[in-house]
C-alpha cells in the first residue's frame, strides 16, 4: 500500500516551498495543500493505512496514554525478568527503554538462525540484532497492540527454541518469572 507521512511546517518553512529548486513530485507540498483544501489528495491516498491509524488512535485514546506506557513497561519488565531467569544476559547494561528488550544469545548459538526458527517453526516474530552484534542477540518488542499474553507467548517460544538449539534450559522458568511480574499488575476482579 502507499505510505503515510506526517509533515509539520512553520510559516517560514512554507515560504521556502515557494522558492525551492530541488526536483519534487510527492513532496510537492504546495500541490498537496491546494488539493487538501478541496478534500482531495493530490496522489493515491493511503486509505488502508489512514484507517489503520484512525483505529490505532481510537485504541490509544480509549486505553489512555498513561495506561499504554504502563502496559509496555510491565511487558518489558516481565520479559527482562524472564530472560534473566533463563540465565541469559540482557544486552543493555543500564535499564533500556520499554520499546524492546535485546537479549544476548548463548555462546555458540547463531541469533539469526534462532530468530528464523522462532518465526518459521513457532510462529513468533522477534527481530535480529544489527551491525556488529547481528547473530549475537535478538530483540523482543513490547510496543503497539501488545499485551501480557503476547509476552508469555514470546518467552515460551524463546524457551522452546533454545531447547531445540541445544541450550540447557528448564522449560517454564522464564514464563514463571514473567507471570510473577504480571501477577503484581493484573486488574482486580469486580
Amino acid at each position: 500500500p502507499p505510505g503515510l507521512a506526517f509533515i509539520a511546517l512553520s510559516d517560514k518553512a512554507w515560504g521556502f516551498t515557494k522558492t525551492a529548486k530541488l526536483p519534487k513530485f510527492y513532496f510537492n507540498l504546495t500541490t498537496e495543500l491546494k488539493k487538501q483544501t478541496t478534500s482531495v489528495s493530490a496522489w493515491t491516498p493511503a486509505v488502508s493505512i489512514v484507517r489503520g491509524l484512525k483505529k490505532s488512535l481510537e485504541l490509544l485514546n480509549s486505553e489512555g496514554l498513561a495506561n499504554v506506557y504502563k502496559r509496555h513497561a510491565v511487558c518489558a519488565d516481565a520479559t527482562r525478568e524472564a530472560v534473566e531467569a533463563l540465565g541469559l544476559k540482557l544486552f543493555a547494561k543500564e535499564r533500556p527503554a520499554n520499546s524492546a528488550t535485546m537479549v544476548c544469545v548463548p555462546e555458540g548459538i547463531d541469533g539469526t538462525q534462532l530468530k528464523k526458527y522462532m518465526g518459521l517453526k513457532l510462529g513468533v516474530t522477534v527481530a535480529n540484532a544489527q551491525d556488529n552484534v547481528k547473530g549475537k542477540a535478538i530483540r523482543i518488542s513490547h510496543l503497539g497492540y501488545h499485551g501480557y499474553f503476547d509476552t508469555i507467548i514470546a518467552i515460551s517460544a524463546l524457551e522452546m527454541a533454545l531447547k531445540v538449539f541445544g541450550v540447557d534450559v528448564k522449560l517454564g522458568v522464564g514464563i514463571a518469572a514473567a507471570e510473577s511480574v504480571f501477577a503484581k499488575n493484573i486488574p482486580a476482579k469486580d
Side-chain angles (χ1 to χ4, degrees):
L4 185 64
F6 297 93
I7 300 174
L9 299 174
S10 66
D11 290 337
K12 183 178 179 181
W14 268 115
F16 286 117
T17 66
K18 294 178 178 85
T19 59
K21 302 260 188 278
L22 290 174
K24 53 195 158 293
F25 184 71
Y26 287 116
F27 286 117
N28 188 327
L29 301 178
T30 306
T31 300
E32 183 60 35
L33 182 62
K34 284 179 191 171
K35 288 291 189 173
Q36 289 291 320
T37 60
T38 63
S39 298
V40 175
S41 174
W43 296 278
T44 304
V47 174
S48 60
I49 296 175
V50 171
R51 290 182 63 92
L53 173 64
K54 181 178 185 282
K55 185 61 178 178
S56 295
L57 291 172
E58 288 170 1
L59 290 169
L60 244 171
N61 285 329
S62 69
E63 185 175 357
L65 216 45
N67 293 326
V68 170
Y69 290 146
K70 181 174 182 190
R71 176 171 45 83
H72 291 158
V74 171
C75 288
D77 286 343
T79 300
R80 293 176 193 130
E81 291 293 325
V83 163
E84 290 175 335
L86 289 168
L88 302 175
K89 290 187 169 97
L90 298 172
F91 182 80
K93 305 285 184 242
E94 299 294 320
R95 203 65 175 166
N98 293 325
S99 54
T101 297
M102 193 148 127
V103 181
C104 298
V105 296
E107 193 71 34
I109 302 295
D110 181 349
T112 301
Q113 292 304 312
L114 184 70
K115 173 226 177 288
K116 186 176 179 181
Y117 177 84
M118 288 175 70
L120 293 175
K121 301 296 184 180
L122 303 178
V124 174
T125 302
V126 296
N128 268 327
Q130 298 174 330
D131 297 328
N132 62 330
V133 291
K134 185 173 183 178
K136 297 176 183 174
I138 58 169
R139 293 176 290 151
I140 301 171
S141 174
H142 316 299
L143 288 183
Y145 193 69
H146 180 97
Y148 295 176
F149 290 100
D150 296 303
T151 298
I152 294 294
I153 290 169
I155 297 304
S156 177
L158 177 60
E159 287 179 349
M160 289 188 278
L162 287 170
K163 197 76 147 163
V164 167
F165 277 67
V167 178
D168 185 23
V169 294
K170 185 175 178 190
L171 296 178
V173 169
I175 294 169
E179 284 180 332
S180 73
V181 173
F182 293 141
K184 297 173 194 160
N185 293 282
I186 58 175
K189 65 178 185 170
D190 292 334

